[in-house]
Amino acid sequence: MKKYFRTRYSVILGIPLWVLIVLIFYVINGQQLIGENIPQISFQGLTFLFVGTVWFGTYYIIQDSKLIIKIGPFTHSTIETDNIESINRSSDAIASPASSLRRIRLNLIDGTFVLISPAKELSFIRTLKERNPKIYNGIHQSEESNLFIIRIINWLL
């Protein structure tokens, strides 16, 4: 059975990204009318569409014994759940298929790792553990707090 998990979106990452893109397009175009430079506007539109597809198209699929990480139309990686050794919390800001700074780190048997940020972390972890009960879970249920301030911080990250 296939289960889909969308990524968590971070306000702290999203606002600067989209503001920067819009500002760059505005600076490049200046006060030009759209009809004045069709190739340039077309290129910028395709760039905007690509970034939007990658940003809003990141999701994770758990199918049978595989974790498939999708970024827009591309498959970032396919990981056998038997190769996942442990799951831990991470706030590492390195480039990864995660649209949030509130990330989980999947440590693999071969010593590598993948950072992801599923919106429904506990459900994601539960589903992974159903596929491979040997996975060590370093994230505990108590981390999902109902305190208002914690929820705001989680939303920002």
Side-chain angles (χ1 to χ4, degrees):
M1 182 173 83
K2 256 188 203 182
K3 281 198 160 184
Y4 292 84
F5 297 89
R6 68 176 185 81
T7 191
R8 176 190 306 267
Y9 299 103
S10 168
V11 172
I12 289 176
L13 290 178
I15 289 177
L17 171 74
W18 292 104
V19 166
L20 181 66
I21 289 172
V22 169
L23 282 176
I24 288 171
F25 287 176
Y26 181 77
V27 167
I28 289 172
N29 288 329
Q31 297 298 321
Q32 291 179 348
L33 295 175
I34 289 180
E36 290 182 19
N37 195 347
I38 302 282
Q40 180 179 340
I41 298 295
S42 298
F43 177 74
Q44 290 175 349
L46 289 173
T47 302
F48 195 77
L49 184 65
F50 175 74
V51 172
T53 301
V54 169
W55 178 259
F56 292 108
T58 300
Y59 60 98
Y60 318 104
I61 303 168
I62 299 176
Q63 179 180 4
D64 301 325
S65 64
K66 294 183 194 289
L67 167 62
I68 303 164
I69 301 171
K70 301 285 278 182
I71 301 175
F74 311 106
T75 298
H76 176 273
S77 55
T78 301
I79 301 167
E80 292 287 334
T81 55
D82 290 339
N83 291 337
I84 300 172
E85 187 173 45
S86 64
I87 301 170
N88 296 301
R89 172 79 52 225
S90 177
S91 57
D92 203 344
I94 63 172
S96 66
S99 302
S100 171
L101 291 175
R102 184 176 167 84
R103 299 171 174 191
I104 59 176
R105 178 179 168 138
L106 303 177
N107 297 302
L108 307 179
I109 290 173
D110 64 4
T112 61
F113 66 91
V114 177
L115 296 173
I116 59 174
S117 60
K120 296 182 178 180
E121 285 180 356
L122 297 179
S123 176
F124 178 84
I125 293 167
R126 203 173 304 116
T127 303
L128 268 183
K129 286 201 52 90
E130 286 171 3
R131 304 300 199 279
N132 179 6
K134 296 177 191 172
I135 296 173
Y136 170 76
N137 179 11
I139 300 173
H140 303 288
Q141 297 233 349
S142 62
E143 290 189 32
E144 292 294 318
S145 177
N146 286 329
L147 292 174
F148 181 72
I149 189 70
I150 301 298
R151 293 179 77 192
I152 293 295
I153 291 169
N154 287 341
W155 176 73
L156 289 171
L157 294 177

